[in-house]
Amino acid sequence: MNTQIPILVLILPFFAAFFIPLLSGRLGEKVSKIGITAQSISFLISILTLYHLTRHPPIRTSLFPDLATANPLFGFGLYIDRLSAVMMVLVTGVSTIIHVFSKTYLHQDPGYARFFSLLSLITFALLGLVTSPNLIIFFIFWQLISWLLYLLLAFNYTHHETCRAAFKTFIIFRLGDLFFLAGIFLAYHYYGTLDFPLLFEKASASNITLSLFPGDLIEINVVTAISLLIFVGAMSKSAQFPLHVWLPDTMFGPTPVSALMHAGIVNSGGFLLNRLAPLYGLSPVSLNIVFIFGAFTTVLGASMMLVQNDVKKMLGYSTIAQMGYMIMECGLGAFALAIFHFIAHGLFKASFFLSAGSVIHTTRVEPKSPKLPKTVQGLSGPKPAMVFSRLIWFTGFIVTLILPLIILFSAHDVFHIPLNDEAHGAVIFLFFGWVTSSQAIISIYRMNATASWKVIGIMLSALALIIFTYLFAGELFTVFLYPGPGESALYFEAAALPAALFDSLVILTSITIISVWVFLYAKARGREILMPSWINPLKERFYVLFVNRLYLDLFYQKLSRNVIQVAHKLDKRYLSWLP
Amino acid sequence: METTINLSQVLIILPILGAILGLIFRHKPKAFMLYFQGMVATELVSLIILSDFLAGSVTLPLSFIVVLAGACITLGRHLESTSPFDIFETFILMGLGLGFLLNPNNLGLIFLIGLFALLIVIQYRAKGFSDLNTRWVVGLYGTGIVFLSTSLSLSGQSQQVVLFLAYAMLLPLFPLHGAYLSLLNCLSGVLPAFLAVFLPVLGLHGLLPLLSFLPDEIKQVILFCAMLGVIIASLRGLVQIRISNILSQTALVFWSILWWYLCGSDIKPSAGIIFLSSAGFALCGLFLSGHTLKSRYGDLLVDQFGGLGSVMPRFSVLFVLLIMAGMGLPLFGVFSGFIAMAFSPSMTFSWSLAIILLAWFFASWRLPLLMQGTLFGKSNPNWIYRDLDLRETTALSFILIVLLILGLAPDAFFGLEHLDEIPVALMKAVR
């Protein structure tokens, strides 16, 4: 395959974005076909590129070599390795589906051509991001995505709330950009290059420390400083606590935009960490901080999701939790697993959002929809007895608790997992597999609490499938994305948590899962669980806290109001004499 | 050198003489505009022809910026401008400015004195002396005239000091920014769009040779003033309710950032010029957009516009792109210029860079709000809306193309790649 061909993957959506508004007057709604065709061809070429890269080294193409000579900072070009190629397939695939969906969804909308043009343009920006050869070009596309998403979210710009939410999204992205740029600045200042391979090489060859305050009171490793600053940028795009507040408010945007956002744009933070994995691999401190933020976001996102009463908002909070999960994986050095995770999440979340639109529509036009489950339908009458099966409960309970033992034994080298030599990596994979399968099995139990071998079969299959996916497919994917000898093991080693902390984490998670099973048991048997008296008020407090989104929105509002007040005082009281 | 100077006088005489002759058509708006468009085209062609003589010095790119800005505002001027003589005044100012740029001797300073005097007259005619803004202009530019006149008889360090102060009024440095901002806030027609870029160009041209003689202590004071300007303008910009006021505060932020760069050691003139031209053209485009709205709907508050997105699609697209450029988003020149300055080898991570980054963040707060206020929301059914005509569209598109070129190929523009080969200290010889 000619190495210039992948350029078409970017060029086609870019030209589609220009031709759509130009030809909209003549073609009417048929202009959508331009976008669909461009995305489809890009998708096919992306698949070809991915296939090509399974056998060949990464593709490096310089687009305007003269410009790069004049100013090395602006080295426009493409760098396509396996990671980029996988992302190209995901972006173009999801974008094609969304284009096809939008064709009907936006039928007769006055902004039809504008929407398709912006959609093609943001696809181009996403593709530019994943194929960037250096940090500055990455940052250029990173910013373009922020702006284009703002315009897409504000698609219905006559609606005040829509504009407010779009602006909020943009401003939080810019806050992240601020730190990202500072990180880039530091990287360039200390290493003199922003080209990925060179930057990693220079960073690993030097060990520079930076004094935060005069007198060398607090010193920080430059790699740590750079990676943490850039991580703030990733936090804003990937909706990590405390920069997650933009995501739940974006539900006023058109459904296809939500789908694209949840399937593609929020993943850009995770992609950034992956792209800079060799840099993060040099800083265990940064990886640990990344892990903490990811874990915190997962718990908060999932908790806030539970108290929502709006389908799209639930999905939004679920995305926050999933992004936290993904960032947590990066923080544990399982970078490839994070990519695997967000591909899977991207696909299912895009399908959820695209279906959510029609579900909401059906509910609006059909008064009896959605049909309630039988147990809920009879709420007005006498409360039916809860169905309970000891066999199913016991199976679920045991199955979800076998894994933590294996994890703990493997972590302490009592067992050796014969998958590969990276035992610690396998433990991490097992850990995530366990948490995911526990969640799935509890959900299956709640949906089907009847004594049936079928349910047991489903539970075991879910366990087997998830563990297989995490251990085998995850491992294979890691080897595929990071084929360098010992490369992925290096990240796992750098991210390794202290043994005591890791054990505590597994034990804490086990206790949480046991508690859920006990709670389910007691609830199904109609028994009261003896709780200390302070638990119920605490639960209520947490409920209020999560319903109010931890009051973070209010905090930001107050902060911005204070800034405006200071500006007002400055303008009207102290400096009114100045023009 | 002598031939170059003599030939370049054509570039000075042409706009001044052209402006005076143009008054013949003052009662025929269409002919008046056509005449000035022809004039600016002639000026541009003359500059291109003479560019070989001026190559290798900062004068060429700066002259190009002035003439291109003049061309853009001449094209973009609304036929029934709120100020009938704005274009005439623009041409006279352009002539005087080019006189300063192209004359590396005392004659240049005399042109500058004339320019200050004319600006005072223009402001006085527009607002009268009772207005606070006029007092700022008269006070500062009056002092500027005194400084420049004194400098004619001085030499050495004392001359450099008075010249520096006069130039700091042109490339506005807090607290000497008052006159510049007053002009941008108060003047009507296309003059603010022109002055936004024109005056800083003259300021930078005067300052470049002086910078290498400034002691580090003075540079620290200048840096402090610039940072104060950045903070105050960034904050004040958030609470302005008129387009011109928001943009004038944005202008002060831009030029304070340029001052921040100029205070560094081992600066590259090309990076400064890229930022100057990009920020200048972005401001020029935004002020021109403001003029377009003002001439159609009157001098309204930002929120009183609303909903232009659906009724003025052509204007909306161009305005969105200009806002993008103005807040330093890629692929436009402001971003490239800023990156070129911030990533120059002499720049270190310091408190001033943190302030600059904050200003960058505030621009992303201020300018999208301006955009939302004008374009988003519902349009007023009682208004008669009119989108941009071909001329206005061409002018704004041209500005965007220039900004795009500056963004994508910053060093290739104006032949700037050769400029850094001349050390700043040697530029003294050019003046």
Side-chain angles (χ1 to χ4, degrees):
Chain A
M1 187 176 124
N2 187 328
T3 52
Q4 300 292 326
I5 289 177
I7 297 173
L8 282 175
V9 178
L10 274 87
I11 288 176
L12 288 170
F14 180 74
F15 279 115
F18 276 90
F19 282 114
I20 288 169
L22 285 178
L23 299 174
S24 64
R26 195 177 296 172
L27 296 176
E29 290 198 355
K30 282 181 185 165
V31 281
S32 61
K33 285 183 181 168
I34 299 174
I36 294 169
T37 313
Q39 311 308 323
S40 309
I41 299 171
S42 288
F43 177 56
L44 292 176
I45 301 172
S46 300
I47 292 173
L48 277 177
T49 310
L50 181 63
Y51 177 72
H52 173 83
L53 284 164
T54 54
R55 289 144 186 266
H56 297 93
I59 299 168
R60 189 172 264 278
T61 316
S62 183
L63 288 183
F64 305 104
D66 295 342
L67 284 183
T69 320
N71 190 342
L73 269 175
F74 293 90
F76 287 98
L78 301 182
Y79 174 70
I80 308 173
D81 57 0
R82 288 175 177 182
L83 176 64
S84 309
V86 167
M87 293 305 297
M88 280 161 72
V89 173
L90 177 73
V91 170
T92 49
V94 170
S95 176
T96 307
I97 294 167
I98 287 168
H99 270 77
V100 173
F101 180 87
S102 310
K103 192 182 158 205
T104 322
Y105 184 83
L106 283 155
H107 177 54
Q108 290 190 335
D109 194 293
Y112 196 85
R114 175 164 53 96
F115 182 82
F116 273 93
S117 174
L118 284 171
L119 208 55
S120 289
L121 214 51
I122 204 165
T123 307
F124 160 73
L126 277 165
L127 290 167
L129 185 93
V130 298
T131 56
S132 301
N134 63 49
L135 212 46
I136 201 84
I137 302 296
F138 191 102
F139 186 60
I140 285 176
F141 285 111
W142 181 267
Q143 293 182 87
L144 283 179
I145 290 169
S146 307
W147 181 246
L148 291 168
L149 182 64
Y150 164 67
L151 294 180
L152 272 170
L153 287 173
F155 178 69
N156 180 16
Y157 56 77
T158 50
H159 184 236
H160 176 72
E161 280 303 306
T162 303
C163 299
R164 200 186 58 80
F167 179 70
K168 186 176 172 182
T169 305
F170 181 66
I171 207 78
I172 288 181
F173 282 1
R174 292 303 271 172
L175 192 65
D177 293 353
L178 190 82
F179 289 90
F180 194 168
L181 184 60
I184 297 176
F185 179 84
L186 265 191
Y188 189 73
H189 184 70
Y190 283 99
Y191 302 122
T193 181
L194 294 174
D195 196 62
F196 290 125
L198 266 176
L199 179 69
F200 303 148
E201 201 180 297
K202 289 197 172 180
S204 63
S206 60
N207 184 21
I208 312 167
T209 49
L210 186 71
S211 179
L212 287 184
F213 295 101
D216 298 344
L217 282 176
I218 303 175
E219 285 190 335
I220 185 170
N221 188 285
V222 167
V223 175
T224 304
I226 294 168
S227 49
L228 285 180
L229 283 169
I230 292 178
F231 176 58
V232 182
M235 281 169 75
S236 68
K237 280 273 198 308
S238 286
Q240 295 300 294
F241 176 86
L243 300 180
H244 65 281
V245 289
W246 62 271
L247 201 137
D249 284 355
T250 54
M251 302 307 161
F252 293 114
T255 297
V257 177
S258 299
L260 182 70
M261 197 167 72
H262 290 254
I265 293 162
V266 287
N267 293 329
S268 46
F271 175 76
L272 171 63
L273 297 190
N274 259 275
R275 179 46 87 216
L276 297 178
L279 197 71
Y280 280 89
L282 297 171
S283 172
V285 178
S286 297
L287 284 172
N288 292 344
I289 291 173
V290 167
F291 171 75
I292 292 167
F293 272 99
F296 204 54
T297 307
T298 306
V299 174
L300 290 179
S303 309
M304 286 190 273
M305 184 188 81
L306 292 174
V307 297
Q308 299 306 313
N309 54 8
D310 176 297
V311 177
K312 280 179 110 182
K313 280 205 168 160
M314 274 181 91
L315 290 177
Y317 279 107
S318 147
T319 299
I320 292 176
Q322 293 292 334
M323 287 301 111
Y325 214 64
M326 181 188 75
I327 294 290
M328 196 159 63
E329 283 159 349
C330 291
L332 286 170
F335 288 101
L337 187 63
I339 295 282
F340 189 81
H341 186 155
F342 77 61
I343 291 173
H345 169 254
L347 291 174
F348 88 73
K349 200 46 79 61
S351 67
F352 270 18
F353 266 102
L354 296 181
S355 328
S358 51
V359 169
I360 294 166
H361 180 73
T362 314
T363 316
R364 278 181 188 154
V365 295
E366 177 56 63
K368 286 183 180 173
S369 184
K371 284 178 185 165
L372 297 173
K374 281 178 186 170
T375 47
V376 185
Q377 276 176 353
L379 275 179
S380 53
K383 203 175 177 182
M386 287 288 280
V387 190
F388 178 70
S389 160
R390 243 178 232 184
L391 179 68
I392 303 285
W393 184 89
F394 190 72
T395 314
F397 183 76
I398 294 297
V399 158
T400 48
L401 286 174
I402 289 171
L403 281 172
L405 286 173
I406 301 174
I407 291 168
L408 286 176
F409 286 138
S410 312
H412 292 281
D413 291 333
V414 178
F415 291 163
H416 181 69
I417 300 175
L419 290 168
N420 59 14
D421 293 332
E422 293 154 13
H424 187 74
V427 170
I428 299 295
F429 282 23
L430 260 180
F431 177 77
F432 281 103
W434 165 53
V435 176
T436 312
S437 57
S438 302
Q439 193 189 358
I441 288 168
I442 289 171
S443 302
I444 292 167
Y445 175 80
R446 286 179 66 195
M447 281 190 287
N448 276 300
T450 46
S452 156
W453 290 105
K454 269 187 202 169
V455 179
I456 295 172
I458 292 170
M459 277 182 173
L460 292 174
S461 311
L463 178 78
L465 182 75
I466 292 167
I467 297 301
F468 172 81
T469 309
Y470 269 97
L471 278 182
F472 290 92
E475 287 283 341
L476 280 176
F477 200 62
T478 304
V479 175
F480 178 74
L481 285 188
Y482 297 103
E487 193 181 353
S488 51
L490 196 81
Y491 304 146
F492 285 124
E493 272 168 33
L497 296 172
L501 184 64
F502 185 77
D503 292 351
S504 321
L505 203 67
V506 174
I507 292 166
L508 190 73
T509 317
S510 304
I511 292 170
T512 313
I513 293 172
I514 291 170
S515 312
V516 173
W517 280 113
V518 170
F519 178 76
L520 283 175
Y521 180 87
K523 200 177 168 192
R525 303 287 294 195
R527 286 183 188 168
E528 284 282 321
I529 301 172
L530 285 176
M531 295 268 191
S533 58
W534 50 267
I535 286 284
N536 271 338
L538 193 70
K539 268 165 64 181
E540 280 164 21
R541 271 188 203 168
F542 270 117
Y543 181 82
V544 173
L545 197 66
F546 290 134
V547 159
N548 288 298
R549 307 167 174 200
L550 308 171
Y551 297 101
L552 260 180
D553 289 72
L554 277 177
F555 169 75
Y556 286 126
Q557 263 177 31
K558 199 163 184 202
L559 190 70
S560 61
R561 219 174 287 149
N562 284 347
V563 172
I564 296 286
Q565 270 174 6
V566 169
H568 257 296
K569 270 188 189 167
L570 202 69
D571 190 51
K572 303 284 177 227
R573 200 180 293 176
Y574 303 115
L575 297 173
S576 55
W577 49 277
L578 272 177
Chain B
M1 190 72 182
E2 199 64 34
T3 326
T4 312
I5 293 166
N6 289 337
L7 276 173
S8 63
Q9 303 309 312
V10 177
L11 295 171
I12 303 161
I13 296 163
L14 209 61
I16 296 174
L17 200 66
I20 294 164
L21 290 175
L23 289 175
I24 300 167
F25 304 103
R26 66 184 183 280
H27 299 303
K28 299 171 185 166
K30 268 193 175 172
F32 188 66
M33 281 311 298
L34 269 176
Y35 170 81
F36 278 105
Q37 281 161 22
M39 278 307 305
V40 81
T42 315
E43 179 77 358
L44 197 57
V45 171
S46 312
L47 184 60
I48 292 167
I49 293 168
L50 288 171
S51 58
D52 280 347
F53 296 107
L54 299 166
S57 74
V58 286
T59 310
L60 179 68
L62 296 180
S63 306
F64 256 118
I65 296 169
V66 169
V67 178
L68 280 176
C72 292
I73 66 128
T74 312
L75 260 183
R77 182 181 182 267
H78 196 254
L79 213 55
E80 290 130 28
S81 174
T82 42
S83 167
F85 287 106
D86 57 350
I87 200 78
F88 165 78
E89 289 157 349
T90 301
F91 270 69
I92 299 279
L93 287 168
M94 195 199 293
L96 293 172
L98 287 169
F100 169 65
L101 289 177
L102 298 167
N103 286 292
N105 46 36
N106 283 348
L107 184 63
L109 294 179
I110 292 167
F111 274 113
L112 201 55
I113 292 169
L115 187 132
F116 274 144
L118 181 60
L119 285 173
I120 291 172
V121 173
I122 291 171
Q123 173 67 26
Y124 182 75
R125 257 175 30 91
K127 290 283 170 183
F129 196 70
S130 58
D131 190 87
L132 183 69
N133 290 296
T134 310
R135 291 181 196 170
W136 271 104
V137 176
V138 173
L140 280 170
Y141 286 168
T143 317
I145 291 172
V146 174
F147 284 161
L148 290 170
S149 313
T150 320
S151 76
L152 292 173
S153 56
L154 293 172
S155 62
Q157 212 167 10
S158 46
Q159 188 197 32
Q160 284 165 6
V161 171
V162 289
L163 280 178
F164 175 83
L165 289 169
Y167 296 147
M169 293 170 197
L170 290 169
L171 179 64
L173 171 70
F174 185 88
L176 301 173
H177 67 289
Y180 175 79
L181 255 62
S182 296
L183 290 170
L184 297 189
N185 285 340
C186 297
L187 297 182
S188 51
V190 287
L191 260 178
F194 181 66
L195 293 177
V197 55
F198 173 67
L199 295 179
V201 165
L202 303 185
L204 184 73
H205 183 261
L207 282 164
L208 274 176
L210 298 178
L211 288 171
S212 54
F213 300 109
L214 285 178
D216 282 346
E217 294 78 18
I218 300 290
K219 277 189 179 174
Q220 285 304 312
V221 175
I222 295 170
L223 183 66
F224 179 75
C225 291
M227 290 303 103
L228 214 56
V230 167
I231 295 168
I232 288 172
S234 292
L235 284 172
R236 291 185 79 197
L238 288 177
V239 291
Q240 302 305 313
I241 45 175
R242 283 181 196 282
I243 297 178
S244 58
N245 294 12
I246 295 172
L247 296 180
S248 63
Q249 297 297 339
T250 305
L252 182 58
V253 175
F254 277 147
W255 307 133
S256 299
I257 292 176
L258 184 56
W259 272 106
W260 161 75
Y261 178 67
L262 296 176
C263 288
S265 57
D266 192 27
I267 59 159
K268 283 183 176 179
S270 66
I273 292 174
I274 291 166
F275 184 77
L276 172 94
S277 46
S278 308
F281 276 111
L283 284 171
C284 181
L286 287 167
F287 270 109
L288 207 53
S289 307
H291 161 74
T292 304
L293 296 181
K294 204 170 168 182
S295 53
R296 279 169 168 75
Y297 313 115
D299 191 11
L300 300 176
L301 307 181
V302 172
D303 289 344
Q304 288 174 315
F305 288 105
L308 296 181
S310 50
V311 286
M312 292 179 74
R314 226 182 288 174
F315 171 79
S316 305
V317 171
L318 296 171
F319 193 55
V320 166
L321 292 171
L322 282 167
I323 290 280
M324 236 178 119
M327 62 182 163
L329 277 177
L331 305 158
F332 296 103
V334 179
F335 176 75
S336 308
F338 176 67
I339 292 291
M341 293 195 309
F343 285 63
S344 66
S346 62
M347 285 296 161
T348 52
F349 202 87
S350 59
W351 62 273
S352 55
L353 183 71
I355 292 174
I356 299 291
L357 289 176
L358 263 180
W360 191 64
F361 171 72
F362 277 116
S364 304
W365 186 341
R366 186 173 60 238
L367 292 175
L369 280 182
L370 166 65
M371 187 186 88
Q372 284 195 182
T374 48
L375 304 185
F376 292 2
K378 289 192 173 102
S379 52
N380 190 333
N382 299 321
W383 286 16
I384 300 165
Y385 291 100
R386 198 154 36 91
D387 205 353
L388 300 182
D389 60 28
L390 189 64
R391 264 186 329 100
E392 291 166 324
T393 310
T394 313
L396 292 181
S397 307
F398 183 73
I399 290 173
L400 282 167
I401 290 167
V402 172
L403 284 167
L404 206 59
I405 294 170
L406 283 164
L408 293 173
D411 291 337
F413 206 47
F414 301 133
L416 288 176
E417 68 267 37
H418 305 298
L419 210 62
D420 297 333
E421 291 157 17
I422 313 165
V424 175
L426 286 180
M427 284 183 192
K428 177 79 179 164
V430 179
R431 266 210 66 77

